Structure formats: structure tokens, C-alpha cells
Amino acid sequence: MTKEAGNNEEKIKLITTDDGSHSLYVPNLNETYHSFHGAVQESRHVFIEMGLAHQKSRGLKNIKIFEVGLGTGLNALLTAEFAEKHQIPVHFTSIEAFPVDFELIKQLNYTSYLDLPKAKSWFEKIHTSQWNEDIVISPFFTLNKIQTKLEDYVAQGSTFDIIYFDAFAPNKQAELWDITILSDISNSMKHGGIFVTYCAKGQLKRDLQSLHLNVETLPGPPGKKEMVRASK
Ligand SMILES: C[S@@+](CC[C@H](N)C(=O)[O-])C[C@H]1O[C@@H](n2cnc3c(N)ncnc32)[C@H](O)[C@@H]1O
């Protein structure tokens, strides 16, 4: 993605996806932040159910997550909801090169999808909190936002239980799906850690396999046939 495409915020538009939840559209890339079949539906399925709930079912108690692309903060918010509901401490590191303008964030309707009165204040805190430090958003959810490009970020080895790989699609932003990036990501995963993404491209699966990850092709969210989960 060019710098222009990433931070030219006046051009990013609010859209409504098929499940009624909002997303953002980037005209320069002709790309949306989420599936147009349903943003909340996609996030819940790919990242929460196939990622977080899967690791919880394996008995993990303290879960460390790394997200590629904080974007609207939807994945962060739904993760905070899960952590609260199941009383599981989650530490969430999210990298974002081009933060979304807060005026646009305020228009997003995500908190109405959560049955939690605190969701609104959490969502605001997710976006207004300091970068590059641990911020307690709720008793079970701590956020560390990193404002830099993924290409420039050096993650520590064997740190994360889950990777939410939520970059724009490979045909829009190929550099973020490069094997060198995937290799660094794989190194940052703990043994038993998982990588989840909405993308199910053959090249991605071959690359993840070449990094000795165990690749599963799982049913995708409504409107999308498949997704990928890779385990270390
Ligand atoms: C598909 S959207 C992420 C959606 C997000 N997870 C959400 O819930 O709204 C991709 C995100 O990656 C960010 N991004 C683009 N290039 C990046 C880069 N080189 N490094 C880190 N983040 C980048 C974009 O600004 C955008 O927020």
C-alpha cells in the first residue's frame, strides 16, 4: 500500500455491511476493512471463534495476542468482550501504521452489537489511549498499540498465543503477506500458538507450511467459503 492510500483519511468512507455493522472503504485501494457480507460477523467468526475461543478450549489461561492492523478496533473490542465474559486475562498488542481518524471512529456502530454497558467506554479508550504502552482497558483486557509499519516492527520470539492477521488482502497489499514477514510472525508465536486470518489463498497456505506451521483450512464466515488457521 502506498503511504497516500494508507493515511489519506478524508477519502476513507463509512459503509454498512450486510449484517448491519459498519466498516470502512478505502477508495484508493478499492478495499474494505472487513467483509462486506458482515463486519461483526466476520470478526466474531475468524478471530474470536476460530482464534480466541479455540485457544481457550485448549486450556490457556493468560492469552497474548498480536494483531496486524488495529484499524477500527473491532477485533480489539470483541476480544475485550470475550475476555470479560470468560474472565480470561488477555494482553493485546496491535500494530497500526495509519490510525483511523477519531471523528470516523465515533460514527462506528460496533458497541451496539455488545450486550455490555461498558462497551462504549472501552471502545473509546481503545482509540484514545496512549501508543506504545500497556493500557488497562478493562480488568481482563490490556492493550498495547504500536504505531509503526509491520515491515519495521521487530517482534520478540516465542511471545504470542494468537496472531490475528488482518492486513488488507494480498492482491491489495502484497508486501504484508511476504514470506519474510510471515517468517518473523511465525517466530513471534509460542509453541502451540496459532495464526488466524480471513484469507485462504493457496500461496499463503504453502508459505505457512514452508515455515513448518500446521495449516488448517476452515469454513469461513457467512459469504466466504474458507479461512486459514495455522498452528506452531
Ligand atoms: C483490514 S484493515 C484492519 C481491520 C481491523 N483489524 C479492524 O478490526 O478494523 C488493515 C489495517 O492495516 C493497516 N495497515 C496498512 N498497512 C500497514 C502496515 N504496513 N503496517 C501496519 N498496519 C498497516 C491499515 O491502516 C488498516 O487499519
Side-chain angles (χ1 to χ4, degrees):
M1 182 167 71
T2 63
K3 196 163 182 281
E4 196 193 22
N7 65 4
N8 199 351
E9 276 157 8
E10 66 277 7
K11 289 194 176 164
I12 295 180
K13 294 192 179 90
L14 191 86
I15 58 163
T16 301
T17 65
D18 289 352
D19 69 356
S21 60
H22 287 150
S23 186
L24 301 177
Y25 172 70
V26 189
N28 295 7
L29 289 178
N30 186 26
E31 174 75 326
T32 53
Y33 274 52
H34 308 94
S35 162
F36 58 82
H37 295 293
V40 166
Q41 197 169 258
E42 175 185 54
S43 179
R44 281 201 195 283
H45 178 84
V46 175
F47 301 104
I48 307 302
E49 288 308 317
M50 300 300 179
L52 188 50
H54 175 77
Q55 290 297 59
K56 177 187 170 277
S57 74
R58 294 181 56 241
L60 264 65
K61 295 276 185 295
N62 266 286
I63 301 187
K64 290 193 101 172
I65 299 176
F66 180 74
E67 177 182 45
V68 174
L70 175 72
T72 63
L74 174 59
N75 291 337
L77 180 68
L78 296 179
T79 300
E81 177 195 37
F82 186 97
E84 174 88 2
K85 201 166 149 198
H86 298 279
Q87 311 262 292
I88 293 176
V90 172
H91 185 280
F92 195 90
T93 302
S94 188
I95 193 164
E96 176 55 64
F98 310 106
V100 179
D101 189 82
F102 192 57
E103 289 308 308
L104 204 47
I105 293 290
K106 284 196 284 191
Q107 297 173 45
L108 295 167
N109 64 0
Y110 297 145
T111 58
S112 66
Y113 286 79
L114 279 72
D115 191 17
L116 276 174
K118 291 171 270 187
K120 232 176 158 171
S121 77
W122 291 355
F123 193 55
E124 198 172 309
K125 219 165 156 188
I126 285 170
H127 288 287
T128 55
S129 65
Q130 286 292 319
W131 293 84
N132 304 312
E133 58 181 85
D134 280 359
I135 305 289
V136 177
I137 303 291
S138 72
F140 290 95
F141 185 79
T142 300
L143 175 68
N144 194 318
K145 302 189 292 186
I146 300 170
Q147 187 176 358
T148 191
K149 284 188 169 185
L150 179 62
E151 305 89 305
D152 300 332
Y153 179 66
V154 184
Q156 287 199 327
S158 302
T159 303
F160 300 110
D161 299 295
I162 313 177
I163 307 291
Y164 289 180
F165 203 83
D166 201 12
F168 289 127
N171 62 335
K172 306 289 172 162
Q173 204 176 10
E175 67 274 20
L176 292 194
W177 303 81
D178 189 84
I179 185 81
T180 56
I181 297 262
L182 296 175
S183 173
D184 287 347
I185 292 275
S186 167
N187 287 336
S188 78
M189 290 161 63
K190 285 183 194 162
H191 183 74
I194 58 170
F195 168 108
V196 276
T197 184
Y198 64 88
C199 174
K201 290 249 172 347
Q203 186 60 52
L204 171 69
K205 292 192 241 181
R206 287 189 291 279
D207 286 345
L208 294 171
Q209 271 156 356
S210 77
L211 296 168
H212 308 293
L213 298 179
N214 178 32
V215 177
E216 294 170 89
T217 304
L218 303 171
K224 283 195 168 179
K225 215 170 132 212
E226 295 173 338
M227 61 162 281
V228 159
R229 178 168 64 208
S231 321
K232 185 160 168 180

